[in-house]
Amino acid sequence: MKTPLSLLLICCFSMATMAIKPFPSDPKATPEAVKLIRNMMASQHKGLMFGHQDAMAYGTKWYSEEGRSDVKDVCGDYPAICGWELGHLELGTVYSLDSVYFDRIISGIKKVDAMGGVNTISWHFTNPLTGGTAWDVKSNKTVASILPGGEKHELYKQYLDKIAVFMLSLKTDKGKFIPVIFRPFHEHTGSWFWWGKNLCTIDDYKALWRFTVNYLRDTKNIHHLLYAYSTDRFTTEAEYLERFPGNDLIDQVSFDLYDRGADYPATLANCAKLVSKIAADKGKIGAVSEAGGPIAKNTEWWTKVLLETLRPYHLAYVLVWRNTYNPKRIMAFGPYKDCPSEQDFIRFYNDPKTLFMKDVKKIFKK
Ligand code: BMA
């Protein structure tokens, strides 16, 4: 019996769409992590989520006020994705290097998740070899020293044990693990962190990722994390992928890029174009994992620079960095009440391309 061509085509098409249904790199990912990657990959074709680092923890003029966010003060809605920082957790302290209590981070993550938003976690962690900060680049032996067989390997495992305890405490009221995007070893195409380009070999950087993910997944049995690979600025696809540790480890391809001059729109456009292509080719989430601009001076930065540059691309989110809590000296990458670019941020918010908490609540599948 002959099968009509159209039927064959429909079969092939549905098999193909089934085959590419996104699944996290972790074969044992929890249903919630699976749902998160699917929601984010679908939403990147509907709009661009707006994110803010430490959005719910503090703002320019307030610290730890329940339910408050500088972004919400301006536009009436929360960011769709909130960033949190775990630096100093590895030391066993009760608050982070940005002075946020880890208990508060846990309750904030729960709150964002319950509201329908997304959480992402960065980790500017102590140099295990020197005891200095994440920015201590005196030694080019740190990464090698924490790999299996290295003199600081056991210490690194102790750091990861603390990360594991934290991750395993992220549960909903119903006892389900809350999925989060974990983004360690970022901006490695620069050399300002001890895991940066000039401080370790390509193989050691990749081995660091592999050891870390395997340890958290297999030894610690953690399956609710999506892992993000995040470069700084780059020019070509080959450069972007030079230290990419593997499709079996990574769920998100992203980059960090701050506006530090006139080349910004062109550089941002090139990085966004390449990362959205790599994300599509690999079946991963694509994102601008950190951004920030001169929002006090360029009062149309939100719409004219950030939004118009990113509009053509299919990326899940852009997250702007933190609004430091310091009422006397404003240092903010996000908007805040009465800031010079407040009106422009409201236009950015009202544009159909941008997605905030209320939007993802509607478009994410439950
Ligand atoms: C950097 C700065 C630092 C901060 C670090 C980790 O970009 O904002 O002040 O400690 O991120 O959040």
Side-chain angles (χ1 to χ4, degrees):
M1 192 188 87
K2 271 196 189 153
T3 315
L5 185 63
S6 56
L7 197 64
L8 259 178
L9 284 174
I10 290 170
C11 279
C12 290
F13 181 72
S14 47
M15 274 165 71
T17 48
M18 260 163 58
I20 59 166
K21 222 171 182 195
F23 198 89
S25 57
D26 181 350
K28 293 190 188 160
T30 60
E32 290 72 26
V34 175
K35 210 185 308 161
L36 179 60
I37 201 169
R38 293 200 175 146
N39 272 332
M40 289 182 75
M41 289 188 60
S43 80
Q44 66 193 4
H45 294 280
K46 297 185 183 138
L48 178 70
M49 285 192 265
F50 179 74
H52 190 203
Q53 180 70 5
D54 275 347
M56 317 282 283
Y58 53 81
T60 48
K61 295 177 191 149
W62 57 275
Y63 178 78
S64 196
E65 282 179 35
E66 198 53 44
R68 192 161 177 194
S69 135
D70 272 355
V71 170
K72 183 166 179 272
D73 281 357
V74 170
C75 67
D77 199 355
Y78 292 108
I81 173 161
C82 294
W84 307 92
E85 165 62 33
L86 294 190
H88 286 187
L89 182 76
E90 69 283 357
L91 302 177
T93 54
V94 290
Y95 55 82
S96 74
L97 84 165
D98 297 326
S99 306
V100 185
Y101 284 90
F102 292 115
D103 281 354
R104 170 98 196 144
I105 298 183
I106 293 170
S107 62
I109 288 175
K110 275 189 180 179
K111 190 167 180 159
V112 169
D113 182 73
M115 286 194 292
V118 183
N119 290 288
T120 175
I121 292 179
S122 54
W123 189 25
H124 292 73
F125 69 110
T126 304
N127 183 322
L129 184 62
T130 65
T133 68
W135 293 266
D136 179 357
V137 291
K138 278 195 296 290
S139 170
N140 61 4
K141 305 227 167 356
T142 303
V143 172
S145 81
I146 64 177
L147 290 174
E151 60 175 297
K152 295 292 176 189
H153 184 59
E154 290 307 312
L155 178 63
Y156 183 51
K157 283 206 291 193
Q158 287 167 19
Y159 285 9
L160 289 181
D161 291 345
K162 296 201 176 72
I163 292 290
V165 169
F166 179 91
M167 296 300 186
L168 290 168
S169 70
L170 302 177
K171 283 190 179 171
T172 64
D173 289 343
K174 289 189 177 146
K176 301 256 189 235
F177 286 118
I178 298 169
V180 298
I181 300 167
F182 186 38
R183 193 174 68 90
F185 321 129
H186 64 303
E187 298 179 6
H188 60 282
T189 48
S191 295
W192 45 87
F193 296 127
W194 53 257
W195 54 83
K197 192 176 170 163
N198 296 338
L199 289 310
C200 61
T201 64
I202 295 174
D203 284 351
D204 281 355
Y205 181 79
K206 289 183 181 178
L208 177 61
W209 262 106
R210 191 158 291 279
F211 173 78
T212 304
V213 174
N214 287 345
Y215 189 76
L216 294 175
R217 256 185 210 168
D218 305 332
T219 309
K220 293 288 157 181
N221 212 15
I222 298 175
H223 300 289
H224 55 289
L225 306 184
L226 300 179
Y227 290 92
Y229 172 82
S230 236
T231 65
D232 196 76
R233 67 179 56 221
F234 63 97
T235 318
T236 63
E237 184 168 342
E239 190 188 346
Y240 183 83
L241 292 174
E242 188 180 48
R243 288 174 183 238
F244 184 75
N247 287 326
D248 58 330
L249 304 175
I250 298 295
D251 301 295
Q252 173 179 302
V253 287
S254 41
F255 63 96
D256 295 1
L257 197 71
Y258 288 80
D259 184 343
R260 302 224 159 91
D263 74 300
Y264 190 68
T267 308
L268 180 62
N270 185 51
C271 293
K273 183 173 150 205
L274 290 172
V275 159
S276 49
K277 177 189 175 290
I278 296 165
D281 290 352
K282 288 184 173 295
K284 308 287 180 193
I285 299 163
V288 187
S289 37
E290 285 184 36
I295 52 168
K297 280 199 211 118
N298 181 351
T299 54
E300 293 188 316
W301 187 82
W302 296 108
T303 54
K304 297 274 162 65
V305 179
L306 193 62
L307 182 56
E308 288 322 315
T309 308
L310 294 178
R311 193 186 290 285
Y313 307 107
H314 296 300
L315 292 168
Y317 69 87
V318 58
L319 178 143
V320 296
W321 206 240
R322 65 202 197 103
N323 287 6
T324 314
Y325 168 60
N326 185 351
K328 291 198 185 117
R329 187 167 169 265
I330 304 275
M331 283 230 329
F333 287 110
Y336 54 93
K337 197 78 202 133
D338 299 327
C339 69
S341 59
E342 185 173 15
Q343 288 315 311
D344 193 51
F345 190 81
I346 293 169
R347 285 192 289 272
F348 176 88
Y349 172 73
N350 284 327
D351 192 287
K353 171 84 181 179
T354 58
L355 305 174
F356 285 68
M357 186 76 89
K358 285 178 192 155
D359 303 308
V360 292
K361 222 176 165 158
K362 276 185 236 146
I363 66 172
F364 273 14
K365 289 209 175 101
K366 290 266 177 332

